[in-house]
Amino acid sequence: MRKLSIIATLLLPLLLVSCFKDPNFEPGGGESGPQTQPGRLPDHEVRNVMIMYSAGFNSLSRPLTVDLGELEEGFVPNASTRADNILLVLSRHQVSDDSTPVAPVLYRIYKDREGTVINDTLLQWDKTMQATDPALMEEVFRYAREHFPAKGYGLVYSSHGSGWIPDPDRATKGESVLSLGQDSDTGRVHEMELYEFVDAIPYELDYVLLDACFMACVEVAWALRDKTPIVGFSPTEIMSDGFNYQTLAKRLIGASEPDPLAVCEDYFAQYIAPEQRNPYASITMVDTRKMDPLAEVCRTLFEKYRTSIAALRTDQVQTYFRPRRNPWLDHLFDLRDMLVKAGITAEETAALNQALSQCILYERHTDYFMTLPLVNVCGLSVFLPSSGNDFFKSYYKEHVAWNTETQLVE
């Protein structure tokens, strides 16, 4: 459940922040002329492509629309040469209510020669297509690489989220289950499972930044290790403001190299600013290339302390969810605290800390997330086996690659 909606944010008039050239996202007929079809770059030219994927046909429609307005208020690349960096946006948001289907649209944001911000529609799908359809997401990536050859590509994904966790009520009915993203038009709720999201990324990205609740799970980071070296995400909920969208593009395509660490720093800074009325945040950035030592340490500790881990009560271990808010999410516990509470030795704790420090490049959190104390926090959550029933344990064994590697659940 990305972005805990705050009433004051939701009541902001969209008119004040929406600066789209074409608010209805009707096809623009190539308004940027030949610059939207740049051709293949010569080898000596380089550029980066940022893909902003905003799946907002849900309860987050207004906050996510505000985000896109703020994105345009920040750094917007030029389109004067083929070496200019590229900003692409996939958007599907509600217009009035969830009974009115809206077409997903891929458009490019750039400044023309006069400095005017242009939204140039590149692709528009049928209104029945949902942004959380893995086929649509894969098509966006393939289109980006085919039409905008570049040295690197990165993803910012904004929607609801719940890490690796499925919704058992829906899963037992044969419906798709929640992990990342949500589309809820005309009663057709579709949410990607984690493995669907990963499989929809057809080539390696420079970074993946997830502006969605509860995504900083060790299970998520491990699943993305073959798709990107850098993942930025939050282990808790995210307030409705989300990332700092006014500085986002500047950090990722405002220079010759993207700086996802600065995005994470900006995110945390905005929530600890003196004027912040909702000062609650957590953020973690992981280098997935350096997770093997963590998996090795965890595999050994999971086996040695299996009985102790299984006996842990949920009130003994640091959680990342607010109790009794959404019961099916009550399985996200701190990875290090789980093992410490299971009784690992000081030497084993040191080895675990070393492995965590190798792969966690950045971690910050406020003392509380609303009513939830954040005390024993390493920045990565993990499934606590004693919190789950047979459904969750079976799902974990069958669908979660981290478990295949470490055997937390046998």
Side-chain angles (χ1 to χ4, degrees):
M1 48 170 41
R2 181 262 188 188
K3 295 187 174 180
L4 178 66
S5 298
I6 302 302
I7 293 177
T9 301
L10 292 178
L11 293 179
L12 284 174
L14 265 62
L15 189 60
L16 295 180
V17 295
S18 180
C19 51
F20 299 134
K21 180 182 180 188
D22 183 357
N24 294 318
F25 300 119
E26 293 300 323
E31 293 167 321
S32 65
Q35 292 160 349
T36 59
Q37 302 295 332
R40 188 160 298 279
L41 292 173
D43 292 341
H44 66 275
E45 290 188 291
V46 293
R47 64 178 174 186
N48 290 296
V49 174
M50 170 189 156
I51 301 171
M52 175 73 219
Y53 203 102
S54 188
F57 204 102
N58 51 50
S59 60
L60 297 174
S61 181
R62 286 195 176 188
L64 268 61
T65 302
V66 171
D67 291 343
L68 295 184
E70 292 176 347
L71 186 67
E72 292 188 14
E73 294 172 4
F75 173 81
V76 175
N78 296 318
S80 56
T81 73
R82 290 187 222 155
D84 288 321
N85 288 334
I86 303 295
L87 174 55
L88 301 178
V89 175
L90 183 286
S91 173
R92 188 174 195 250
H93 295 177
Q94 291 177 354
V95 172
S96 56
D97 56 58
D98 61 7
S99 64
T100 305
V102 176
V105 176
L106 178 69
Y107 60 98
R108 178 186 179 185
I109 303 178
Y110 68 93
K111 285 184 178 178
D112 64 13
R113 297 180 187 278
E114 287 72 41
T116 302
V117 175
I118 304 295
N119 287 311
D120 189 16
T121 301
L122 304 174
L123 289 177
Q124 180 167 298
W125 288 263
D126 185 88
K127 292 182 179 180
T128 60
M129 285 292 286
Q130 296 179 305
T132 51
D133 187 326
L136 187 148
M137 184 172 167
E138 182 175 352
E139 185 177 353
V140 169
F141 283 115
R142 294 194 183 280
Y143 182 93
R145 187 162 66 172
E146 178 182 354
H147 292 273
F148 301 100
K151 68 172 182 178
Y153 301 82
L155 171 66
V156 179
Y157 191 94
S158 184
S159 191
H160 282 294
S162 68
W164 63 271
I165 295 181
D167 182 338
D169 291 337
R170 297 184 59 208
T172 54
K173 296 176 184 177
E175 302 174 6
S176 68
V177 293
L178 176 62
S179 284
L180 184 57
Q182 185 186 85
D183 238 304
S184 56
D185 68 314
T186 61
R188 300 181 311 139
V189 179
H190 188 274
E191 299 151 341
M192 279 189 282
E193 293 187 66
L194 176 61
Y195 70 87
E196 292 181 304
F197 176 84
V198 173
D199 290 346
I201 302 174
Y203 48 84
E204 185 173 341
L205 305 175
D206 290 338
Y207 56 86
V208 172
L209 300 175
L210 301 173
D211 192 3
C213 291
F214 300 123
M215 295 309 299
C217 315
V218 69
E219 295 90 348
V220 172
W222 185 261
L224 285 166
R225 72 194 187 285
D226 293 330
K227 300 295 184 175
T228 181
I230 300 297
V231 185
F233 43 12
S234 172
T236 63
E237 294 165 277
I238 294 179
M239 304 302 288
S240 62
D241 287 346
F243 287 174
N244 187 332
Y245 283 87
Q246 291 185 325
T247 63
L248 186 71
K250 178 182 178 181
R251 301 304 192 188
L252 298 176
I253 52 173
S256 59
E257 297 295 335
D259 189 354
L261 174 59
V263 174
C264 296
E265 292 173 333
D266 289 348
Y267 166 78
F268 192 74
Q270 76 175 345
Y271 287 102
I272 61 172
E275 66 275 13
Q276 176 59 249
R277 298 179 62 184
N278 299 292
Y280 312 112
S282 66
I283 189 72
T284 304
M285 193 171 89
V286 168
D287 186 336
T288 64
R289 297 165 297 188
K290 299 179 180 180
M291 290 189 70
D292 285 340
L294 179 62
E296 183 177 351
V297 168
C298 286
R299 186 187 314 113
T300 299
L301 295 177
F302 292 165
E303 177 61 29
K304 180 177 179 180
Y305 293 92
R306 188 171 305 282
T307 301
S308 299
I309 292 172
L312 286 171
R313 301 190 316 271
T314 56
D315 62 355
Q316 290 180 279
V317 185
Q318 172 71 57
T319 71
Y320 285 108
F321 56 88
R322 291 181 294 150
R324 296 178 296 279
R325 293 289 298 179
N326 297 96
W328 81 86
L329 296 174
D330 293 3
H331 308 286
L332 302 169
F333 293 80
D334 188 80
L335 172 60
R336 179 175 58 199
D337 196 47
M338 179 186 75
L339 288 166
V340 169
K341 296 296 172 55
I344 64 175
T345 67
E347 183 178 358
E348 290 167 336
T349 301
L352 175 61
N353 286 335
Q354 174 64 23
L356 286 167
S357 67
Q358 284 182 320
C359 63
I360 296 179
L361 303 180
Y362 182 78
E363 190 281 320
R364 293 291 303 275
H365 61 275
T366 52
D367 292 339
Y368 284 81
F369 189 91
M370 301 194 76
T371 59
L372 174 68
L374 297 175
V375 181
N376 301 310
V377 169
C378 75
L380 286 174
S381 70
V382 72
F383 176 48
L384 180 65
S386 59
S387 72
N389 55 26
D390 290 342
F391 167 80
F392 280 102
K393 292 176 182 178
S394 176
Y395 182 93
Y396 202 78
K397 290 173 64 174
E398 294 176 9
H399 295 293
V400 178
W402 170 256
N403 191 68
T404 302
E405 182 68 23
T406 62
Q407 295 296 296
L408 173 60
V409 177
E410 284 190 317

